[in-house]
Amino acid sequence: MPGVAGHSVRAPCATAKKESNMIAGLGVPEMIVILFVALLIFGPQNLPKLGSALGKTVKNIREGMEEEEGEKDTAPKSSQESED
């Protein structure tokens, strides 16, 4: 079926729905295997500590990225003002 300017229009493929169930390119079966291996390596007593530490790390990384984005937004404005 022709689309705009002669380009063909494709129907959504079946893989588009499958991608929504994936996190970082890993599907549900892969995530289950990774969690099982982590349970075997770290043990049930240490998994809550590991999860908490991982959560805090992700939170700190996100906050750092937001601060950096804020600095980038203000930096060009201040340098343009000093040039004028």
Side-chain angles (χ1 to χ4, degrees):
M1 172 172 57
V4 178
H7 294 283
S8 63
V9 178
R10 293 184 178 182
C13 60
T15 58
K17 184 176 180 182
K18 186 177 180 181
E19 290 175 4
S20 66
N21 294 332
M22 298 177 71
I23 299 173
L26 299 174
V28 175
E30 291 89 356
M31 295 295 284
I32 292 172
V33 169
I34 291 170
L35 291 173
F36 181 73
V37 170
L39 179 64
L40 288 175
I41 292 172
F42 297 107
Q45 294 85 13
N46 293 329
L47 276 183
K49 295 176 190 175
L50 183 66
S52 175
L54 183 62
K56 289 178 183 178
T57 301
V58 169
K59 181 181 175 185
N60 288 336
I61 290 172
R62 286 183 180 170
E63 288 175 355
M65 290 175 69
E66 288 175 1
E67 288 177 8
E68 187 174 308
E69 287 176 3
E71 291 174 3
K72 285 183 180 178
D73 291 341
T74 58
K77 291 178 183 176
S78 61
S79 65
Q80 288 177 353
E81 291 173 2
S82 63
E83 291 176 3
D84 292 335

